[in-house]
Amino acid sequence: MLLTNLNAATMRDHYGLIEDAAILIEDGRIAWVGPRAEAPSGMHGINCQGRLVTPGLIDCHTHLVYGGNRAHEFEMRLGGIAYADIAKSGGGIASTVRATRTQSEGELVASALKRLDALLAEGITTVEIKSGYGLDERTELKMLRVVRELDKLRPVDVAATYLGAHAIPPEFHNDREGYVKLICEQVIPAVVKFRLADAVDAFCEKIAFTVEETARVFEAARAHGLRIKLHAEQLSNLGGAKMAASFNALSVDHIEYLDDSGVEAIAKSGTVAVLLPGAFYYLREKQAPPVAALRHHGVPMAIATDLNPGSSPIHSILTTMNMACVLFGLRPDEALRGVTVNGARALGLNDRGMIVPGMKADLAIWDAERPGDLCYPIGYNPLTAVIKNGKTVRGTLS
């Protein structure tokens, strides 16, 4: 497949834009990219009519498999009740846990597909999905089986993350030690045995797990060959990001309260900072992530929807990119890098996120002139077509 007459945002550096470009795809990979005048001869090219082509987008942090609905909590928060107070009274994550435990795998697949389809309609070709709404072995494994099934049902690569350390389940309310032991000694080995996850995540926060408890979970994950991610410094600064950096974590996510020493630690470890403006928006937070410090230390910044039933029910990666610019002050090129090359890095994937030879031919084709146009509007989707592994899976190319 030879695509011609396009503007290619290769993402090599900033946008890495090549105007009036061509892209050659062979065996599901990018074989060549460059000016159209230098394209390989002797091939029939598909005219993209001057459209913008980017790497397929990557949503590196979602919780889109769950049961139930928490719209009533949205109303409570608007009425002045804090997210932490709702969680302490049995709402929040615990509410979704109760609903998810009662649903079958088939029911969870059906509801998750609707959410996944909304993401795919905006050019997503790789998505990460976490468990964390079971908090017992049976339901956590059920959720992860659903995640693996979604990978088979849609033209998208799905990275699965075990998030058992999301909250203390009610049956362990008076036995935190027992629950951490269950995660480390029983569930993580089962997750690895059945090949249900690629990484382990945890929620290190005052309303969730301490730094010490989280470190024990990460020790078990590392011992079983699983990569590490962390919800860190979202509501306070406990030092979780620095601890995660000591484990060479793939990413630390949220990080609104990350301090300078934490930024320096993740810069040294090569850990990606994943910014989640949807949760910041829905929880009406006031303290934004330390974007200037992250830039100064050269920390790669990714962006994700954090699609979940409570604090970020956002089904639009394009809206998330806009929010990252408006709420956090990112430049449009940083936002696009956040859902391409840096989104891939946050998942430990080095074969996608850029349009360069050797990379997977995962491409999104847009009815747009410039890469920055993707961050500008809200509620407008200029996607024309998606190519996944070298094959057109959405839209048509003439």
Side-chain angles (χ1 to χ4, degrees), residues 190-312:
V191 166
V192 172
K193 177 182 178 181
F194 297 110
R195 300 180 180 179
L196 292 177
D198 310 298
V200 166
D201 198 346
F203 185 20
C204 184
E205 190 54 73
K206 292 178 181 178
I207 61 173
F209 292 83
T210 68
V211 173
E212 293 74 19
E213 290 167 339
T214 304
R216 289 177 55 193
V217 172
F218 287 173
E219 288 283 5
R222 183 166 60 182
H224 285 84
L226 292 173
R227 290 174 162 179
I228 289 164
K229 301 171 70 67
L230 182 64
H231 289 60
E233 274 69 85
Q234 179 184 8
L235 306 174
S236 62
N237 183 10
L238 297 186
K242 286 194 284 188
M243 180 273 295
S246 72
F247 283 89
N248 295 312
L250 289 174
S251 72
V252 289
D253 304 28
H254 288 289
I255 61 167
E256 282 88 337
Y257 286 82
L258 186 65
D259 60 17
D260 288 344
S261 63
V263 173
E264 292 174 4
I266 64 173
K268 291 178 181 177
S269 65
T271 299
V272 176
V274 178
L275 309 183
L276 304 173
F280 179 90
Y281 167 82
Y282 266 93
L283 298 180
R284 298 195 291 180
E285 294 292 338
K286 303 300 182 185
Q287 180 160 326
V291 169
L294 295 170
R295 285 192 189 118
H296 176 73
H297 288 279
V299 176
M301 292 181 285
I303 299 167
T305 63
D306 192 18
L307 199 172
N308 72 66
S311 62
S312 187

Side-chain angles (χ1 to χ4, degrees), residues 42-323:
M43 294 183 63
H44 171 69
I46 298 173
N47 189 336
C48 292
Q49 301 176 25
R51 292 187 172 96
L52 172 71
V53 178
T54 70
L57 304 189
I58 298 168
D59 194 347
C60 65
H61 182 132
T62 82
H63 306 251
L64 64 80
V65 174
Y66 61 83
N69 182 295
R70 281 159 56 188
H72 65 287
E73 292 184 6
F74 176 61
E75 296 187 45
M76 293 170 66
R77 292 199 304 273
L78 291 177
I81 302 177
Y83 176 77
D85 292 334
I86 293 173
K88 290 176 183 178
S89 64
I93 294 169
S95 173
T96 301
V97 167
R98 290 192 295 272
T100 305
R101 286 180 175 183
T102 65
Q103 292 202 338
S104 68
E105 289 186 32
E107 289 171 324
L108 290 173
V109 167
S111 61
L113 279 174
K114 296 177 182 178
R115 303 174 193 118
L116 180 59
D117 285 343
L119 296 178
L120 300 187
E122 292 190 350
I124 295 289
T125 55
T126 300
V127 63
E128 185 256 18
I129 306 175
K130 306 177 191 294
S131 66
Y133 293 127
L135 307 186
D136 60 19
E137 181 176 2
R138 182 185 68 84
T139 313
E140 289 292 311
L141 297 184
K142 176 178 68 176
M143 290 186 69
L144 291 170
R145 286 193 297 270
V146 168
V147 173
R148 292 301 197 203
E149 183 66 16
L150 296 175
D151 185 74
K152 302 173 185 176
L153 296 174
R154 291 294 187 269
V156 62
D157 291 331
V158 179
T161 299
Y162 168 55
L163 180 57
H166 199 190
I168 299 294
E171 58 269 27
F172 283 90
H173 179 70
N174 295 315
D175 187 12
R176 300 177 63 93
E177 168 66 22
Y179 184 59
V180 173
K181 186 175 181 180
L182 175 72
I183 291 172
C184 297
E185 299 182 6
Q186 189 167 323
V187 186
I188 287 178
V191 166
V192 172
K193 177 182 178 181
F194 297 110
R195 300 180 180 179
L196 292 177
D198 310 298
V200 166
D201 198 346
F203 185 20
C204 184
E205 190 54 73
K206 292 178 181 178
I207 61 173
F209 292 83
T210 68
V211 173
E212 293 74 19
E213 290 167 339
T214 304
R216 289 177 55 193
V217 172
F218 287 173
E219 288 283 5
R222 183 166 60 182
H224 285 84
L226 292 173
R227 290 174 162 179
I228 289 164
K229 301 171 70 67
L230 182 64
H231 289 60
E233 274 69 85
Q234 179 184 8
L235 306 174
S236 62
N237 183 10
L238 297 186
K242 286 194 284 188
M243 180 273 295
S246 72
F247 283 89
N248 295 312
L250 289 174
S251 72
V252 289
D253 304 28
H254 288 289
I255 61 167
E256 282 88 337
Y257 286 82
L258 186 65
D259 60 17
D260 288 344
S261 63
V263 173
E264 292 174 4
I266 64 173
K268 291 178 181 177
S269 65
T271 299
V272 176
V274 178
L275 309 183
L276 304 173
F280 179 90
Y281 167 82
Y282 266 93
L283 298 180
R284 298 195 291 180
E285 294 292 338
K286 303 300 182 185
Q287 180 160 326
V291 169
L294 295 170
R295 285 192 189 118
H296 176 73
H297 288 279
V299 176
M301 292 181 285
I303 299 167
T305 63
D306 192 18
L307 199 172
N308 72 66
S311 62
S312 187
I314 291 183
H315 298 65
S316 170
I317 195 68
L318 296 176
T319 299
T320 302
M321 293 165 65
N322 174 276
M323 285 181 167

